[in-house]
Amino acid sequence: TYKYYEGSWNKLPDFSQLTAGKEGVVKQVNESLIENRGRNYGLVLQGYVNISQTATQTFYLRSDDGSKLYIDDELLIDHDGRHGAFWAFGTTILEEGRHKIRIEYFQGTGAQLLRAGFVDEELGKIPFTLMQLTH
């Protein structure tokens, strides 16, 4: 699910103190799938990620501007601030099953981008699939 906010920030705001302008469901972590005004907005995406087996998992975020990724309410990737479309990574051990996921993102001005997924040792960066994300 997502919540969409409008505002101008230099780093991620406390979204819990703001009122969402709209809410909905999105099938991928991709800002272009959510109608937005192109600048000065923020998103909070929440749901669950399905882990097929207990293992060390590496996640990635790629965003322009700031973003954060939480797993089971623990901050795993802090990629905040105004910046270009850079990659950020975080690694944790997760047991098989469903885990809560939350991604926060803000877009200032200029280019916009938000992507997220897993890093596989053999295949590299793999975006989350429809089968991995639920709400």
Side-chain angles (χ1 to χ4, degrees), residues 7-110:
S8 179
W9 308 285
N10 288 318
K11 63 182 211 171
L12 286 161
D14 180 354
F15 287 108
S16 70
Q17 302 298 310
L18 303 175
T19 301
K22 60 184 168 184
E23 300 180 25
V25 176
V26 66
K27 295 180 180 183
Q28 291 179 299
V29 178
N30 184 327
E31 87 296 336
S32 69
L33 300 177
I34 299 168
E35 185 178 333
N36 65 70
R37 65 183 185 173
R39 59 181 19 206
N40 298 319
Y41 72 91
L43 299 172
V44 176
L45 296 95
Q46 295 185 101
Y48 296 91
V49 60
N50 295 309
I51 302 299
S52 60
Q53 64 183 22
T54 300
T56 300
Q57 302 286 332
T58 299
F59 294 86
Y60 74 83
L61 279 174
R62 185 173 185 215
S63 66
D64 180 347
D65 288 294
S67 59
K68 291 183 179 180
L69 184 144
Y70 297 81
I71 300 290
D72 296 329
D73 296 319
E74 296 290 327
L75 179 61
L76 184 63
I77 303 174
D78 186 345
H79 194 38
D80 202 359
R82 288 185 178 255
H83 53 74
F86 299 111
W87 301 90
F89 303 89
T91 301
T92 189
I93 298 171
L94 293 177
E95 293 186 18
E96 178 182 351
R98 266 177 28 150
H99 295 269
K100 187 176 175 183
I101 186 169
R102 175 182 169 100
I103 297 171
E104 298 179 351
Y105 166 73
F106 85 92
Q107 162 59 19
T109 58

